[in-house]
Amino acid sequence: MIVKFNNRDPVYVQVVRHFKEQIARGMLEPGQEVSSRRELASQLKINPNTVQRAYKEMEEQGLIYTEKNSPSKITRDEDVLHRVREELILEAVDTFVTSVRSINVPVDELLELVKEKYDYQSDEQGGSAHD
């Protein structure tokens, strides 16, 4: 697991976001075991307490669950999984809209540009944007 940390956000928040992104992309499957806190701290070269805080946050958000002494696993709760995807989409849209609104792009022009770019990138990656 590779995470590129920034200096703006707390590391534990970035770890949680990374897990959300991996879940939304299907890289982490529902019910899949996740690394132990110690293993993840070692992989990411961060303090185990930071990983513990990230896992605690993910458990509170329902992203992972731990049964007794078993390894933590990704949630199987469809509502939580859907919410994660929606949250990431809305964050990206908010950031995008804020940046383009500052240069006064008309919404019709903007939507057409987004559609063209989205279709072009999908074609480049060998899939359809409408799949």
Side-chain angles (χ1 to χ4, degrees):
M1 181 179 293
I2 299 172
V3 180
K4 294 181 182 177
F5 295 109
N6 66 52
N7 293 326
R8 296 182 311 274
D9 304 312
V11 173
Y12 84 94
V13 169
Q14 294 177 66
V15 171
V16 172
R17 179 172 179 82
H18 179 76
F19 270 81
K20 288 179 177 180
E21 289 170 351
Q22 295 299 303
I23 291 168
R25 289 184 179 136
M27 304 298 287
L28 291 174
E29 299 285 333
Q32 179 179 339
E33 288 184 7
V34 295
S35 300
S36 73
R37 286 140 179 85
R38 188 161 299 180
E39 289 169 341
L40 188 62
S42 177
Q43 289 172 0
L44 299 178
K45 297 177 178 45
I46 60 176
N47 188 310
N49 292 332
T50 302
V51 174
Q52 177 62 31
R53 186 167 180 191
Y55 275 42
K56 182 178 185 294
E57 180 69 25
M58 289 190 291
E59 284 178 346
E60 289 173 0
Q61 292 182 25
L63 297 173
I64 63 172
Y65 64 94
T66 307
E67 295 173 342
K68 299 181 182 169
N69 291 331
S70 299
S72 297
K73 296 179 181 177
I74 300 297
T75 186
R76 294 180 186 275
D77 185 327
E78 291 294 325
D79 291 338
V80 171
L81 297 170
H82 180 73
R83 190 179 72 234
V84 165
R85 186 174 180 278
E86 288 293 312
E87 177 187 324
L88 293 174
I89 291 169
L90 289 174
E91 272 181 32
V93 169
D94 284 346
T95 300
F96 173 71
V97 168
T98 299
S99 66
V100 295
R101 182 169 270 168
S102 68
I103 55 175
N104 297 319
V105 179
V107 71
D108 292 339
E109 180 183 348
L110 178 62
L111 292 174
E112 186 57 35
L113 289 168
V114 168
K115 184 177 179 338
E116 287 174 19
K117 185 70 170 176
Y118 193 85
D119 289 345
Y120 175 77
Q121 285 188 348
S122 178
D123 290 345
E124 291 256 313
Q125 294 171 359
S128 170
H130 309 290
D131 284 350

